[in-house]
Amino acid sequence: MKSAVETLNPTRVRLTVEVPFEELKDSLDAAYKKINQQVTVKGFRKGKVPARVIDQRFGRGAVLEEAVNDALPKFYTEAVNEGELNVLGQPEVDITELKDGELLAFTAEVDVRPEIEIPDYSGIEITVDAVSVGDEDVEKAVEQLRERFASTNPVERAAAEGDVVTIDLQAQVDGEVLEDGIAEGVSYTIGSGELLDGIDAAVTGLEAGGEATFTSELKGGSAAGKEAEVTVKVTAVAARELPELDDEFAQMASEFDTLDELKADSRKRLEESRQYEQATQAQERVLDALLELAEVPIPEKLLADEIQTRKHNLEHHQLGQMGLTLDKYLEIQGKTAEEFETETSEQAVKGIKTQFLLDEIVNKEKLNVNQEELTEHLMRRAASSGMSPDQFAQAVVEGGQVPMLVGEVARGKALAVVVEAAKVVDTNGETVDLEDEEEAIETVEAADGSAGAVADAATEAAEKAEEKTEAAAEKNEA
């Protein structure tokens, strides 16, 4: 076999392959054997029909077609390996010559990973928000905790903002009550904004037994997005009572004995949380700066596929679970279809560029992923997916996605290398040492289950090019 590579552009090549006919022998034998198992010829046992009889009865062309279909993947792979190509996706194959007994020739056009020159990232300088926690932040956090321990007591008066009302609801569209438009015994806090638009005004001022009707756009269910006439009946009114902010509250709501200790812990947690936010912001801004420095060509087909994947996932998975159509989603977001197309394309471009560039740094820096790092990443991904680690690991293995996860961790480590080389200062002009923040980040991770550790925050930043660049990752690992 002879092969040659022609570069069509930085992300696409054309392979020209010539195969002497004798190298097709194994595929021809396999073709005759396959046809033998599929046909019946009078006078011959099944599977024992001679090749010459198959040629006579079914045509030599059918045999050659079967043999070529069997042989092409093998010779294409050999040509790719011979040319040391890093291909992406499936090739477009064209058989240019097939001479029985002499030659098979074909071309294959395929996208390839572009050669990328890694920019000098040692000079990157970025500014992030300073970590600041004031007394008012602590008071707000304690007040939120206090709200969680509020109690309710029935009252015989008109409902007011902040009260908890028990209500029955009935929704009608075009004069007909919806099958899923009836709800009874619903508990609702006036002013929370957790139910329908207009309900706060409707129930405010009503006593138990009071009833009102208002018009609102339904947020979910069979008539999501439609205007409905909603009848609400208040069956009970209860006032919320907050516990006193004292040492007794601290003992009830936490492991601390005094309110001062509780406030000190709240301050510490807020600082750790904001250090995590600062570290994540640093990853994102360093990544943006890195992408600005690099020239990264993108294969057109890969980009088109990535855009389509993103649209499909949004429309059929994310929005579908919320009972929203794409048009309704765009209306809520205040975006036009053109703006959505532009935004999706920009996100896809950034996601693919990010992966290509970070993969190149992985290779340059010879970064490896050990079992412990992979396991930690898997645990975090399992937690975010709502699955147990065992369930998630099984799904990953069965789906052949282990290389994808390894790639995610490696790219996270690559971005961490860039961040380490960059100069990071906060808005106060102070130098930020992200390594000093790792312990705080890991504490936040343990508390809320979010991705922590600088390397994995870097991975998260890379994935934020879309809010998970996984679709592109899977394609490029293929």
Side-chain angles (χ1 to χ4, degrees), residues 40-51:
T40 301
V41 178
K42 189 175 180 179
F44 297 95
R45 287 182 296 164
K46 193 173 186 65
K48 300 296 183 180
V49 183

Side-chain angles (χ1 to χ4, degrees), residues 7-237:
T7 299
L8 303 178
N9 61 50
T11 64
R12 194 164 180 84
V13 299
R14 178 188 292 123
L15 288 164
T16 301
V17 183
E18 293 184 357
V19 183
F21 209 79
E22 56 266 23
E23 294 186 30
L24 288 173
K25 183 179 183 307
D26 289 344
S27 294
L28 281 168
D29 291 343
Y32 279 118
K33 185 175 182 180
K34 182 176 180 179
I35 294 173
N36 239 312
Q37 299 300 320
Q38 296 174 339
V39 302
T40 301
V41 178
K42 189 175 180 179
F44 297 95
R45 287 182 296 164
K46 193 173 186 65
K48 300 296 183 180
V49 183
R52 60 179 176 77
V53 175
I54 291 177
D55 289 346
Q56 292 169 356
R57 290 290 188 92
F58 306 102
R60 176 71 168 175
V63 178
L64 289 176
E65 181 179 357
E66 184 67 41
V68 169
N69 288 339
D70 176 76
L72 276 178
K74 180 183 69 173
F75 291 119
Y76 165 73
T77 301
E78 288 182 9
V80 166
N81 293 336
E82 190 174 286
E84 298 181 343
L85 301 175
N86 195 340
V87 300
L88 301 168
Q90 298 300 314
E92 295 178 5
V93 177
D94 181 26
I95 297 174
T96 56
E97 191 172 1
L98 177 57
K99 291 184 179 179
D100 194 358
E102 295 183 30
L103 180 73
L104 163 66
F106 67 91
T107 61
E109 288 192 16
V110 65
D111 288 334
V112 294
R113 276 182 179 263
E115 293 185 5
I116 301 171
E117 183 177 344
I118 300 174
D120 179 10
Y121 46 76
S122 62
I124 290 178
E125 296 184 13
I126 57 109
T127 302
V128 295
D129 295 336
V131 173
S132 175
V133 177
D135 292 342
E136 67 279 6
D137 297 317
V138 176
E139 295 299 330
K140 182 179 178 180
V142 173
E143 189 62 28
Q144 289 173 342
L145 181 62
R146 186 185 180 202
E147 291 277 348
R148 290 169 51 189
F149 285 85
S151 59
T152 57
N153 293 308
V155 293
E156 295 182 4
R157 60 166 172 76
E161 184 172 356
D163 286 344
V164 178
V165 290
T166 303
I167 55 178
D168 297 337
L169 294 166
Q170 178 179 281
Q172 298 183 59
V173 174
D174 298 329
E176 294 187 8
V177 178
L178 301 172
E179 289 186 11
D180 56 355
I182 299 175
E184 297 180 347
V186 177
S187 181
Y188 175 67
T189 302
I190 301 176
S192 66
E194 295 174 352
L195 280 179
L196 300 168
D197 292 338
I199 194 170
D200 289 334
V203 298
T204 297
L206 295 181
E207 298 183 17
E211 190 173 295
T213 300
F214 64 100
T215 300
S216 183
E217 182 179 301
L218 299 179
K219 296 181 180 180
S222 61
K226 293 185 178 181
E227 289 288 329
E229 185 178 86
V230 182
T231 300
V232 56
K233 180 178 180 180
V234 176
T235 60
V237 180

Side-chain angles (χ1 to χ4, degrees), residues 120 140 161 164 173 178 265 279 306 342 403 424 426 445 450 461-462:
D120 179 10
K140 182 179 178 180
E161 184 172 356
V164 178
V173 174
L178 301 172
D265 182 70
E306 174 63 10
T342 300
V424 182
D426 65 21
E445 179 189 32
S450 59

